[in-house]
Amino acid sequence: MQKPAPRFAFVSSDTDDARQAAARLVAIYGQHRIADAEIVVALGGDGFLLQTLRETMGSDKRVYGMNRGTVGFLMNEFIERDLPQRVEAAVAETIRPLEMHTVTASGETATALAINEVSLFRQTYQAAKISITVDGKPRLAELICDGIMVATPAGSTAYNLSAHGPILPLDAPLLALTPVSPFRPRRWRGALISNRSEVRFDVLELEKRPVNAVADHHEVVSVVTVTVRQSSENTVTLLFDPTHSWNERILAEQFRY
């Protein structure tokens, strides 16, 4: 007896290519509400996929991305045929996001989740001055820089890589702590820390050197302290074609030049 096709929910970015692709797939495979679907198929680029992952986080939905964007590092190739078979054969990767907890200069608190990275950036022309504490132990009393980030393995090939941070395999129990344009200490290039660690950033000389914090696309202005740790409760599941798995993409990216 033939196995029934999974229930798909097709979602797309606002580009013409993505919308047209979604319409063709809906005509072939049908459409379900996300709440009723087994598989959410995201059509667009990496940014739209991250948005879809955030919106489905904690729902136990599996997300299968197909590239209708530009870079599409996180996406599978767009092919209309045999989608149920591709999904059935796909490799599932479970990703735990980062939790960002902030306190601002006005005393307000905020919490946000990040699949790629949590970043701190200077707000003005003045370089940021930040101290770093890991698991309650001071590690760097003063970092003068344009910014600093904590990146997940999933985010290690994004902004972290552009800032010369290390690429991490998805199953590595690590986070990348990567500075952006460090001025002092000039030779500090970051650190690899356990994904069980908690990192605290304290902004120094706040009035002179204001800093903003960003969890993926959620920004908090004029932060005083930022605490980052891996979420113990929230997960997302991303599906990759076995012929182009995440680990293969990670390895291939390291040999690009």
Side-chain angles (χ1 to χ4, degrees):
M1 185 174 179
Q2 188 175 6
K3 186 176 180 179
R7 298 187 300 274
F8 290 113
F10 296 96
V11 295
S12 70
S13 65
D14 292 332
T15 67
D16 289 340
D17 281 350
R19 286 198 298 263
Q20 291 167 11
R24 294 197 300 271
L25 291 170
V26 168
I28 298 171
Y29 301 107
Q31 175 74 312
H32 292 82
R33 298 186 310 153
I34 290 179
D36 299 327
E38 298 171 274
I39 308 293
V40 178
V41 179
L43 298 147
D46 287 344
F48 181 73
L49 179 63
L50 289 172
Q51 175 185 326
T52 303
L53 290 174
R54 284 192 295 272
E55 291 173 351
T56 58
M57 192 176 297
S59 67
D60 294 326
K61 304 296 180 185
R62 293 176 292 164
V63 178
Y64 183 85
M66 287 204 283
N67 191 17
R68 290 287 84 189
T70 50
V71 178
F73 187 84
L74 297 171
M75 312 299 276
N76 299 293
E77 183 182 0
F78 177 74
I79 302 173
E80 293 181 20
R81 66 181 183 279
D82 300 326
L83 182 58
Q85 291 80 4
R86 290 178 70 189
V87 168
E88 179 70 23
V91 177
E93 299 283 2
T94 299
I95 299 172
R96 290 189 178 275
L98 298 174
E99 292 180 358
M100 177 183 78
H101 301 272
T102 62
V103 179
T104 67
S106 62
E108 296 179 354
T109 60
T111 301
L113 297 174
I115 294 169
N116 268 6
E117 74 276 318
V118 170
S119 307
L120 281 71
F121 297 99
R122 63 185 175 97
Q123 194 181 106
T124 68
Y125 65 91
Q126 290 277 6
K129 190 177 285 189
I130 300 168
S131 69
I132 303 171
T133 302
V134 180
D135 293 330
K137 185 173 182 178
R139 290 293 181 181
L140 200 55
E142 184 178 283
L143 172 66
I144 302 175
C145 59
D146 280 353
I148 189 166
M149 75 186 79
V150 180
T152 66
S156 67
T157 56
Y159 186 45
N160 171 74
L161 181 60
S162 298
H164 308 291
I167 296 177
L168 303 176
L170 200 59
D171 56 357
L174 299 169
L175 301 172
L177 183 59
T178 303
V180 180
S181 302
F183 180 67
R184 290 286 188 275
R186 192 177 296 276
R187 294 183 180 180
W188 191 68
R189 291 294 179 264
L192 291 175
I193 60 175
S194 167
N195 61 5
R196 297 179 181 178
S197 292
E198 179 179 278
V199 184
R200 174 177 167 137
F201 302 103
D202 289 283
V203 178
L204 310 176
E205 300 180 17
L206 177 64
E207 292 185 2
K208 181 181 179 183
R209 304 172 186 272
V211 169
N212 292 354
V214 182
D216 283 349
H217 300 295
H218 182 88
E219 185 168 12
V220 181
V221 301
S222 300
V223 294
V224 177
T225 64
V226 178
T227 304
V228 183
R229 59 176 172 265
Q230 182 176 267
S231 176
S232 60
E233 299 177 355
N234 297 284
T235 61
V236 293
T237 301
L238 195 52
L239 300 177
F240 294 103
D241 289 335
T243 55
H244 196 33
S245 69
W246 178 267
N247 283 335
E248 170 58 29
R249 297 177 205 203
I250 292 284
L251 185 60
E253 188 68 24
Q254 294 179 83
F255 287 91
R256 294 184 185 276
Y257 58 90

